[in-house]
Amino acid sequence: MYLLRSNPSSSGKKGRKSKKGDRAPLTIPEQAPRPFKGIRNMSRIERILDGSEPQAFKRLTLARFSCKEFEKKAIPDEVLNQVLGLTLRAPTAFNIQPYKVLMVTDDLLKLRLTGGMMDSNKDKILKAGATAIFLADKDPLQLVPKLERIKPEELQSEIPRYIRFFGEKINSPKEWALKNTMIAVSFYLLAATSLGLATAPMEGFNEDVILKILGIPEGRYTIPLVIPTGYPAGTGKFTKRLPPAEVFYFNSLDEPASNVRAITDSSLVE
């Protein structure tokens, strides 16, 4: 990182006075250095973040919108691969990852897929470069052999017990799978936006028909969302949300968060 400062000339004399119409020299204030910690004592947050993330995330959340119309344009493989790689970082309970994502990019398969879509959603499927089918796994015990490869040895025997407790006693298997899958969905939406892609998360489909078209076992998987993904044909628009005080509260629903400010496009220049 470089800092641009206005400095005296190399001879030690003061620089010339600026004439009328001259631009003032660009000065970027130097930020106070962070207290030094040994790398082993740093959290992942301290090691990885550099301070630019709040503004970048603000831009990301403002840029994302539900796309109504896509250009009929393929997405480069390297772009889709990056989106999926970022999505994989989504957290799940006990790192079970009870979901799969099927990317539909074949034009003939897209056409067949429209057979299970509401009429208003068919054009998005046909034109978007790819459509992500999120599959929530209702039988995650079948994942145990794979999970044992990435779990510490002392935790491997706990995997089945944990799945049965949270996926059967506290929740139904479907509820638990959906909860975890939707976290991955949110990562996918923002990952796609970060790489210049628009998305359109959709519920308007017949799940049984989609599963049959794609040859997916109905008893094991359920589909929370189908997400056409690609390059937008229109400009997109900012959509309003409820006032923060009607959504966020502290300690009790009788204490609305009155000082939370909604983020809008104008926030970028504040």
Side-chain angles (χ1 to χ4, degrees), residues 40-201:
R40 292 182 179 179
N41 295 324
M42 289 183 178
S43 70
R44 289 188 60 80
I45 290 176
E46 291 173 309
R47 291 202 308 270
I48 295 173
L49 302 189
D50 65 9
S52 64
E53 291 78 14
Q55 186 71 0
F57 193 73
K58 185 187 293 185
R59 289 181 179 277
L60 195 59
T61 57
L62 286 170
R64 196 216 66 80
F65 68 100
S66 294
C67 187
K68 304 302 181 185
E69 186 177 359
F70 292 90
E71 291 184 10
K72 190 167 177 54
K73 180 180 176 181
I75 303 170
D77 288 346
E78 58 270 23
V79 174
L80 275 182
N81 290 338
Q82 287 186 68
V83 171
L84 297 178
L86 290 167
T87 301
L88 194 60
R89 295 308 307 163
T92 56
F94 207 60
N95 200 22
I96 300 296
Q97 303 162 69
Y99 69 90
K100 286 182 169 47
V101 185
L102 178 59
M103 302 299 294
V104 177
T105 58
D106 180 80
D107 284 342
L108 289 177
L109 189 52
K110 289 179 190 176
L111 183 60
R112 291 182 59 204
L113 206 57
T114 60
M117 297 289 164
M118 289 176 55
D119 289 344
S120 58
N121 290 334
K122 292 181 178 180
D123 194 56
K124 299 186 187 81
I125 298 290
L126 293 173
K127 289 184 177 178
T131 292
I133 313 291
F134 275 80
L135 304 166
D137 191 343
K138 296 182 289 184
D139 188 11
L141 282 172
Q142 294 194 38
L143 298 172
V144 170
K146 295 179 180 179
L147 293 168
E148 288 175 343
R149 300 200 304 262
I150 64 171
K151 288 283 188 182
E153 187 174 349
E154 64 271 17
L155 295 179
Q156 291 176 6
S157 62
E158 296 294 311
I159 298 173
R161 183 178 70 83
Y162 189 93
I163 291 174
R164 290 191 180 97
F165 183 74
F166 286 94
E168 295 176 9
K169 291 186 177 180
I170 292 183
N171 308 275
S172 72
K174 181 176 180 178
E175 288 171 338
W176 191 69
L178 288 172
K179 285 179 181 180
N180 285 278
T181 303
M182 289 306 294
I183 301 173
V185 166
S186 67
F187 269 55
Y188 178 89
L189 294 175
L190 292 175
T193 303
S194 76
L195 287 153
L197 299 175
T199 52

